[in-house]
Amino acid sequence: MPQQYFTSIFHYYALNGAYQVEKKIMVHQECINCKTQYGIDEIVYFCPKCGDILEIKFDIKELAQTLKHSDWKTKPLSVWRYRDFMPIHEASQIVTLNEGGTGLHRSQRLGDELGLKEVYVKNEGENPTGSFKDRGMTVGVTKAVELGARHVICASTGNTSASLAAYAARAGLKCTVLIPSGHIAYGKLAQAMIHGAKVLQVKGNFDQALEFVLKLAEKHKSIYLLNSINPFRIEGQKSLGFEICEQLNYQPPDRIIIPVGNAGNISAVWKGLKEFNQLGFIKTLPKMTGIQAEGSAPIAQAIKSNSDKIIPVTNPETVATAIRIGAPVSWKKAVNAIHESHGTAETVTDDEILAAQKMLARVEGIFVEPASASSIAGLMKLVKNGVIGKDERVVCITTGHGLKDPDIAIKQCEKPVEVEANMFAIEQALGLKQQRVILAR
Ligand code: F0G
């Protein structure tokens, strides 16, 4: 018989001046395939019965009751505003750097360029370590602390390692990261190193690095795995979906466009949207639209060919190194999200990605890394193809800050002009006419 597990959420909160005990909520981990349930304090990454991945499930009615008596709406926009939605026992152990609460920028000039009425950019580069990963890491590392882990690990194309290194440092945990040799942006590497992680550069790609960390976590039970296969990370990342709804006054957009790599984020955003819908906070659900780089697009290819299975790409290639992934571990969740939401997936070329990156920086003042710009490139392509209508309200998620990968930005811009340190040379370089200055007495 499947077991149910309670979280022991017994933290107190103030309501009308009086302190009350928060209600317990039923929550468990569940296999997305065979639906076998596991407790939230069991360390399982794949279902021992069928080998598929897990997700966190709440009793939504209990959650609704808890929310009725909670002061969550008085909290600032952030991951922990949604503390009631998080499978964490005690508030006192939370490991945070103030993540979430990122800007949802109405992007009029981008919209005008594309002939769209209402476009927004949800800029996740505004998170503490400069990417959306912090939303998942605050919850994942808090869970690690709760479980008594002393050593955390991940494989990464860069941002996950930067984020895990920072949160592990904050919690005083040992941190190991495996990154693909030669294919990681410098800013991200610098972050993992300065936060004191043990960095292993694997002579292979991300998919191979992930295989190794999965094996390590399986073999050495003292090492806690924090890739997005860990469902606690997905719980943190679902707050991205909540925030978009709240920032739009509970009128969700028609479509959310999101870069896809290992496919955790699109699954997380969709999970958040569905929970808000089940709770009655939103009445409609956006079409989830995943964008992949042409050279590493197994999910987009599966959607385009109407297949329910992906064919992994053995040698993924793209300038957007963050999404240079050939065998996304959460592909099933992503394909489900796209199908359930009547969304779609598209591929974009490296040139399209770089052009979108430059355009966003120049028309909206938002500097994002190449992988993030793929959502903008995808928007441009889907508008051009007529898939996105001119009246659609669209939110593009930009996942990481442009400074993560300054080399790429510098390469595609005009070089700075070197000038002598005098007014004449500076005016000449600026094409300004020489004028005699008459000083007033
Ligand atoms: N955008 C950026 C900037 C990323 O770093 C990633 C993933 C994605 C998009 C894709 O998100 O994997 O949830 O589909 N980066 C991971 C990493 C793989 O290791 O930093 P996803």
Side-chain angles (χ1 to χ4, degrees):
M1 207 183 81
Q3 285 174 283
Q4 295 283 0
Y5 298 84
F6 288 106
T7 59
S8 46
I9 299 174
F10 278 124
H11 64 274
Y12 292 79
Y13 65 95
L15 187 73
N16 303 329
Y19 281 85
Q20 301 189 358
V21 180
E22 189 177 347
K23 208 175 171 313
K24 282 194 229 173
I25 303 174
M26 297 269 244
V27 58
H28 61 266
Q29 305 188 74
E30 189 173 295
C31 171
I32 62 165
N33 174 46
C34 72
K35 311 291 176 201
T36 305
Q37 297 181 3
Y38 304 93
I40 60 160
D41 292 324
E42 283 184 72
I43 301 181
V44 265
Y45 306 112
F46 291 99
C47 175
K49 271 199 177 159
C50 76
D52 221 319
I53 57 175
L54 308 175
E55 65 178 340
I56 303 287
K57 286 270 188 174
F58 286 89
D59 182 315
I60 215 80
K61 280 196 193 122
E62 298 223 16
L63 178 57
Q65 276 307 109
T66 300
L67 291 174
K68 263 189 204 161
H69 304 289
S70 164
D71 60 353
W72 69 286
K73 286 202 174 169
T74 65
K75 303 264 165 65
L77 204 66
S78 67
V79 171
W80 293 104
R81 173 182 171 93
Y82 310 107
R83 195 250 168 283
D84 295 310
F85 298 75
M86 299 299 160
I88 294 297
H89 298 298
E90 268 190 55
S92 62
Q93 301 215 54
I94 286 173
V95 184
T96 177
L97 290 163
N98 288 340
E99 44 294 311
T102 57
L104 181 72
H105 305 279
R106 176 82 192 254
S107 301
Q108 192 67 52
R109 280 162 41 84
L110 176 64
D112 289 348
E113 292 278 338
L114 304 177
L116 292 176
K117 284 203 188 116
E118 213 174 326
V119 182
Y120 299 84
V121 172
K122 177 71 170 163
N123 189 21
E124 288 293 286
E126 295 167 29
N127 274 299
T129 77
S131 84
F132 71 97
K133 304 286 180 181
D134 297 340
R135 292 182 184 273
M137 267 334 154
T138 182
V139 178
V141 172
T142 298
K143 190 67 205 173
V145 170
E146 240 176 39
L147 291 167
R150 302 295 314 142
H151 186 180
V152 288
I153 195 169
C154 73
S156 179
T157 55
N159 282 320
T160 303
S161 62
S163 184
L164 181 59
Y167 283 84
R170 185 114 177 118
L173 304 180
K174 187 175 165 190
C175 175
T176 301
V177 303
L178 270 65
I179 55 171
S181 195
H183 289 281
I184 164 166
Y186 246 59
K188 305 172 190 181
L189 184 59
Q191 288 178 291
M193 288 166 68
I194 199 74
H195 289 304
K198 175 85 183 167
V199 181
L200 300 187
Q201 287 192 294
V202 179
K203 292 182 182 170
N205 58 30
F206 168 82
D207 303 297
Q208 291 164 311
L210 183 60
E211 294 251 322
F212 285 117
V213 295
L214 290 173
K215 279 186 194 149
L216 277 170
E218 198 57 43
K219 197 166 167 193
H220 305 272
K221 299 291 179 208
S222 60
I223 308 181
Y224 189 60
L225 177 70
L226 273 163
N227 274 98
S228 59
I229 192 173
N230 183 321
F232 293 93
R233 264 197 50 199
I234 299 297
E235 291 307 290
Q237 286 175 211
K238 75 184 178 184
S239 63
L240 183 42
F242 296 160
E243 282 186 12
I244 292 172
C245 297
E246 296 212 75
Q247 286 170 308
L248 291 175
N249 230 346
Y250 303 95
Q251 304 293 319
D254 299 311
R255 187 182 297 272
I256 293 181
I257 308 185
I258 183 165
V260 175
N262 217 15
N265 208 28
I266 190 168
S267 322
V269 173
W270 180 238
K271 186 171 194 285
L273 294 166
K274 277 201 306 188
E275 285 178 8
F276 255 32
N277 182 244
Q278 284 165 350
L279 289 162
F281 297 143
I282 56 170
K283 301 279 175 273
T284 58
L285 284 163
K287 296 184 173 91
M288 298 305 292
T289 302
I291 308 297
Q292 293 199 292
E294 201 173 68
S296 44
I299 293 174
Q301 295 304 353
I303 296 291
K304 277 169 184 272
S305 58
N306 226 348
S307 163
D308 276 340
K309 283 209 167 64
I310 61 155
I311 303 171
V313 175
T314 16
N315 290 312
E317 251 335 316
T318 168
V319 68
T321 52
I323 51 171
R324 191 173 171 271
I325 295 174
V329 73
S330 298
W331 68 268
K332 238 187 221 177
K333 286 185 181 177
V335 168
N336 282 346
I338 291 168
H339 282 156
E340 277 177 36
S341 69
H342 308 289
T344 189
E346 187 52 273
T347 61
V348 287
T349 64
D350 282 359
D351 284 349
E352 288 168 335
I353 289 173
L354 295 178
Q357 182 192 30
K358 211 170 183 180
M359 145 111 100
L360 185 67
R362 294 186 177 192
V363 305
E364 293 295 347
I366 300 174
F367 181 24
V368 303
E369 66 167 286
S372 309
S374 67
S375 60
I376 309 295
L379 169 73
M380 290 158 85
K381 191 162 181 179
L382 292 168
V383 169
K384 204 167 150 199
N385 294 350
V387 175
I388 295 182
K390 304 273 179 195
D391 290 333
E392 276 193 37
R393 295 168 67 236
V394 182
V395 170
C396 288
I397 297 178
T398 53
T399 40
H401 200 286
L403 286 174
K404 295 267 188 178
D405 198 350
D407 298 355
I408 293 283
I410 286 173
K411 255 189 221 155
Q412 45 166 337
C413 295
E414 197 185 309
K415 291 219 160 39
V417 182
E418 197 163 20
V419 288
E420 292 301 325
N422 66 58
M423 272 302 275
F424 175 76
I426 291 170
E427 283 178 327
Q428 204 177 33
L430 292 175
L432 296 171
K433 274 207 187 118
Q434 305 296 310
Q435 280 174 359
R436 218 162 352 136
V437 182
I438 301 162
L439 293 173
R441 290 209 152 215

